[in-house]
Amino acid sequence: MPLNDDSTLALANRFSVKVDNGQFDLGSWTQVQGLDVQWKMAEYRAGDAGNDRWYFPGFTEYTPLKLTRAACKDSERVRKWLSSNSFKSKGQTGEIKLMDPSNEEVITWNLRRLVPVKWSIASFDAGQSKVALETLELQHLGFLDDDKA
């Protein structure tokens, strides 16, 4: 039985990626790494408090994202998006949707000021029975609503 986007047999979650409110649909990806946030802590020590100190959440820091999938027809969409961003990236909005095996949305992360950092495809070897993997790395300013004062 052939598998497609609607198949549920032996499939786990997948990720849908869109940029600039869907203007660029980069397709489905099988792996997303780096979807996390970390707070840099600010420490305050009063001169009269001995060894006592207070901690406050400082600025947020987001890890660059690394998307991976088998190279496919959607790879051409990524190439077109990268061409439109080469040397003139203005930091676009992005959206990553986690989809369950039934292709239902689980959660969406809206990314601010998304810019491409690196794209690569695994080396091609016709003598190996391996799928060529495409990797896209993206930098962003976050997915939390913490940019508003």
Side-chain angles (χ1 to χ4, degrees), residues 9-41:
L9 177 67
L11 289 180
N13 296 332
R14 65 189 83 165
F15 302 90
S16 166
V17 179
K18 294 181 180 176
V19 179
D20 264 359
N21 298 319
Q23 180 180 355
F24 291 97
D25 183 350
L26 304 183
S28 293
W29 297 78
T30 56
Q31 188 177 40
V32 177
Q33 295 174 333
L35 199 52
D36 58 46
V37 60
Q38 175 179 327
W39 287 264
K40 295 294 184 182
M41 299 306 290

Side-chain angles (χ1 to χ4, degrees), residues 132-146:
L133 293 179
E134 173 183 16
T135 303
L136 177 63
E137 293 183 30
L138 304 166
Q139 184 65 54
H140 61 97
L141 279 185
F143 50 80
L144 297 177
D145 295 328
D146 59 353

Side-chain angles (χ1 to χ4, degrees), residues 43-59:
E43 179 181 318
Y44 176 75
R45 290 181 61 173
D48 62 350
N51 202 24
D52 206 8
R53 56 188 75 145
W54 294 269
Y55 294 101
F56 303 96
F59 64 89

